[in-house]
Amino acid sequence: MTSPLRSFLPLALMLAALAGCRPPAESAGEAERSAANRLEGRLLLSGSSTVAPLVSEIAARFEAMHPGVRIDIQTGGSGKGIADVRAAQADIGMTSRPLKEDEQDLVAHRLATDGVALIVQASNPIPELTRQQVIDIYTGAIDDWSRLGGAALPIQVVHKAEGRATLEVFLAHFEIDNTAIRPDVIVGENAQAILAVAGSPGAIGYVSIGSAETEARLGAAIRLLPLDGIPATSDEVAAERFPMSRSLNLVVTSEPSPLALAFIDYARSEAVHDLVREAYFVPSTR
Amino acid sequence: MTWFGKRISFRRLADRAIEFASTLAALTAAAIVLLILAFITIEAWPALRDPGPARFVTDRTWFPLSGQFGLLPMLTASVLTTIGAVLLAAPPGIASALWVRYWAPPSLAWFHRRAIAILAGTPSVVFGQWGLVVLAPLIAAWGGSGQSLLTAVIVLALMTLPTIALASDAALGSIDDELVRGGAALGLGRWGIASRVVLPAARSSLLAGILLAAARAVGETMAVLMVAGNVPNFPESLLAPVRTLTANMALEMGYASASHRSILFVSGLLLMVAVAIPYLLATIARPRSDHG
């Protein structure tokens, strides 16, 4: 009859969510390899929950290389990261935005860039949408492609669930209040948004450029729309030309500890570019 | 010490050991449920104090980051999808059990039971994927995005159908054979026996099976998440998107900060209650005698 496992699904989900907060930092093997440049001590990182998952992956690798190093990561938003670094509560702050003018006492090291692109189904002939057209589509003022020069086809607005980083970038770029949006479908992951758009001729959505490029290369029936005339590609994001993007930074005081600097150097090196791309961010090109 | 003096045989000792082990296991199982309930309540407590339970009912919509905490649209969605799925799955589920018991040739019945069991064991992601890739585009032809209340109901019905079929099969099997023979002696045909003797006699067991299936449907997460559209509004039609309580937790839990997280645990609490209700009803529906 009913599988008893099924009743544990909510629990399993909770455990998974808890486990996801902090992947186990220890990793055996290859530990003694770099005994030559021995680093020891503790690092505390604090700040953006967008940056934290990537940084904890990088930290796990760093800890495996330097067994004497222990890295703790706390989240609470970019603002908390800045405040903690200033108050010496954290060694490194994580921010998902550049430093503001009144934060110039700190130094930001760009870790990666998060670019978000609008996507439509590959069959959709629309070449590009203006800023106002995107706002009208997402707030329900325009609900048919025929009003934008396309075929008579209702627009299906694919939106993200609250808390997602791509949602924040999208809302901030178009300056829309989330409560004003009239979605037809709400998804969580980028992959789900891509599936939804690929399967519906009238759909429009927005996803991390890294994930859209990967899926499109693998044959997903989607097309990335240019924004303000700039094509939605990782190269444009890395070159800081693509408008709907934000920088992910590691922030330190003007006198950081050698350990903090060593970690930042590592986090910005090519050795972790695979982790950056797996998180669908674009590595910073120096 | 008198215990040993009584010359308890090895068999008695083994009996005691097994009794002790099974009691321990049973208590552990019960304790886990209570622990989960306690854990969820503790996590939900901050949200139950502020913004407080009233806001979960009075707020019209769910925008936790903008201070809108209405859970009613999602509770409605969970209830509607469950009722819809059970209404859709119960008739064919019971019919399948009747057919397998009273009409099917033995070899076909064997095959049918195995097929239903496999369907029951199919992971929900597979149902979700089928719903998203095959069913949703078909339903989109009637309007909307194809990710809707109706799509969720159909996918859930397919998932609950084997549960109902297997439970009904067991319910029919537990009918006293004398009733069936008595019906035959009165000259009733197969259909007469099935409709006038077997079904009435097995009524409460059948109902219990349906309620268990309903409990499963309320708790289903992944498949619904993939096909329901997940917009947290009251649905205006069958083709409108809905978000269930389970989908809400799965969508937002991994990305929620402190206060938002706490409110998600409130929806978890609500969900446990929603699952418990059909189970309790099933216990009441199941009569003392027709299982044994």
Side-chain angles (χ1 to χ4, degrees):
Chain A
M1 290 215 304
T2 323
S3 150
L5 277 179
R6 209 160 284 285
S7 17
F8 285 110
L9 194 59
L11 174 66
L13 270 174
M14 262 182 286
L15 290 177
L18 287 176
C21 294
R22 277 231 58 202
E26 316 304 337
S27 161
E30 71 180 60
E32 295 305 312
R33 214 175 42 186
S34 56
N37 53 354
R38 201 162 194 87
L39 284 166
E40 288 199 341
R42 287 174 69 99
L43 270 183
L44 180 59
L45 280 78
S46 160
S48 159
S49 58
T50 309
V51 190
L54 170 60
V55 167
S56 64
E57 295 276 332
I58 295 174
R61 238 183 233 186
F62 192 77
E63 283 176 330
M65 286 168 52
H66 307 282
V69 176
R70 177 102 181 93
I71 300 174
D72 288 312
I73 297 163
Q74 295 177 350
T75 59
S78 301
K80 185 173 188 304
I82 300 276
D84 284 352
V85 170
R86 273 186 176 153
Q89 298 278 321
D91 302 288
I92 303 175
M94 302 173 286
T95 68
S96 52
R97 57 171 172 77
L99 290 177
K100 294 176 182 165
E101 268 183 28
D102 62 352
E103 292 166 351
Q104 296 303 321
D105 53 317
L106 302 173
V107 184
H109 298 273
R110 181 182 285 241
L111 177 65
T113 312
D114 184 13
V116 177
L118 287 162
I119 54 171
V120 293
Q121 208 201 33
S123 68
N124 193 321
I126 228 81
E128 187 175 351
L129 294 167
T130 67
R131 181 183 177 85
Q132 191 56 46
Q133 283 171 335
V134 174
I135 295 173
D136 286 347
I137 288 173
Y138 268 84
T139 53
I142 295 179
D143 59 3
D144 201 289
W145 288 108
S146 60
R147 291 187 52 193
L148 300 165
L153 188 67
I155 300 177
Q156 306 300 337
V157 173
V158 180
H159 191 46
K160 290 274 181 74
E162 290 214 14
R164 304 282 164 160
T166 43
L167 169 94
E168 288 168 28
V169 177
F170 174 81
L171 292 179
H173 179 77
F174 289 104
E175 295 171 320
I176 314 176
D177 183 48
N178 196 25
T179 56
I181 289 186
R182 296 287 167 265
D184 294 294
V185 176
I186 292 181
V187 296
E189 310 287 332
N190 285 318
Q192 264 180 300
I194 290 169
L195 260 181
V197 171
S200 174
I204 182 169
Y206 55 87
V207 291
S208 278
I209 285 182
S211 70
E213 277 184 332
T214 309
E215 292 291 330
R217 210 179 303 123
L218 294 173
I222 55 164
R223 195 157 54 81
L224 287 76
L225 292 181
L227 206 59
D228 303 344
I230 297 163
T233 64
S234 295
D235 291 344
E236 296 291 342
V237 173
E240 299 177 35
R241 277 193 296 267
F242 191 74
M244 191 157 51
S245 66
R246 59 178 173 177
S247 60
L248 309 178
N249 301 293
L250 296 177
V251 175
V252 287
T253 60
S254 50
E255 289 168 0
S257 70
L259 178 58
L261 272 187
F263 178 72
I264 290 174
D265 264 349
Y266 180 69
R268 283 161 52 82
S269 69
E270 292 212 0
V272 298
H273 277 190
D274 58 325
L275 294 178
V276 175
R277 290 200 183 90
E278 271 170 34
Y280 297 125
F281 299 138
V282 179
S284 60
T285 50
R286 297 199 216 184
Chain B
M1 288 304 110
T2 53
W3 210 68
F4 287 101
K6 280 186 179 172
R7 286 187 60 221
I8 294 165
S9 70
F10 175 73
R11 184 176 284 251
R12 283 283 298 277
L13 265 176
D15 264 359
R16 294 236 168 183
I18 288 169
E19 182 192 342
F20 177 73
S22 62
T23 309
L24 196 68
L27 286 178
T28 310
I32 286 175
V33 174
L34 291 179
L35 277 176
I36 293 173
L37 200 62
F39 170 76
I40 295 180
T41 312
I42 290 169
E43 291 286 337
W45 191 244
L48 287 172
R49 296 193 58 177
D50 176 41
R55 294 283 302 280
F56 304 134
V57 183
T58 53
D59 286 2
R60 290 285 298 165
T61 52
W62 171 260
F63 287 107
L65 300 183
S66 314
Q68 298 271 332
F69 305 118
L71 288 174
L72 279 190
M74 291 174 280
L75 186 62
T76 310
S78 280
V79 170
L80 283 180
T81 48
T82 301
I83 292 178
V86 167
L87 283 182
L88 221 55
I94 294 173
S96 131
L98 278 175
W99 177 79
V100 124
R101 285 259 162 210
Y102 298 107
W103 277 276
S107 59
L108 220 55
W110 182 90
F111 181 77
H112 182 81
R113 284 205 176 98
R114 295 301 169 284
I116 293 282
I118 289 171
L119 193 62
T122 306
S124 60
V125 187
V126 176
F127 282 99
Q129 218 143 29
W130 175 83
L132 183 59
V133 175
V134 179
L135 188 61
L138 294 175
I139 288 176
W142 293 345
S145 65
Q147 298 196 29
S148 63
L149 175 58
L150 180 64
T151 322
V153 164
I154 294 176
V155 168
L156 261 185
L158 278 175
M159 296 180 68
T160 45
L161 174 64
T163 309
I164 294 181
L166 291 176
S168 304
D169 193 13
L172 298 184
S174 67
I175 296 292
D176 201 336
D177 251 357
E178 287 191 16
L179 281 177
V180 179
R181 280 199 292 269
L186 288 172
L188 289 174
R190 268 194 231 191
W191 171 243
I193 293 175
S195 66
R196 294 210 237 151
V197 179
V198 172
L199 280 183
R203 198 174 49 206
S204 45
S205 302
L206 291 173
L207 185 62
I210 290 172
L211 288 168
L212 290 180
R216 180 194 165 166
V218 175
E220 177 50 47
T221 306
M222 199 59 213
V224 176
L225 174 67
M226 292 171 83
V227 300
N230 306 314
V231 180
N233 292 336
F234 288 106
E236 286 151 12
S237 78
L238 271 176
L239 298 175
V242 293
R243 182 188 295 190
T244 61
L245 285 170
T246 48
N248 190 47
M249 293 181 71
L251 270 176
E252 298 186 354
M253 187 55 99
Y255 298 81
S257 56
S259 59
H260 180 187
R261 220 175 94 94
S262 181
I263 297 167
L264 289 179
F265 273 101
V266 173
S267 62
L269 208 56
L270 205 58
L271 194 66
M272 278 196 87
V273 174
V275 173
I277 288 172
Y279 271 118
L280 287 177
L281 288 178
T283 319
I284 296 166
R286 201 185 290 266
R288 298 122 303 205
S289 59
D290 81 14
H291 255 252

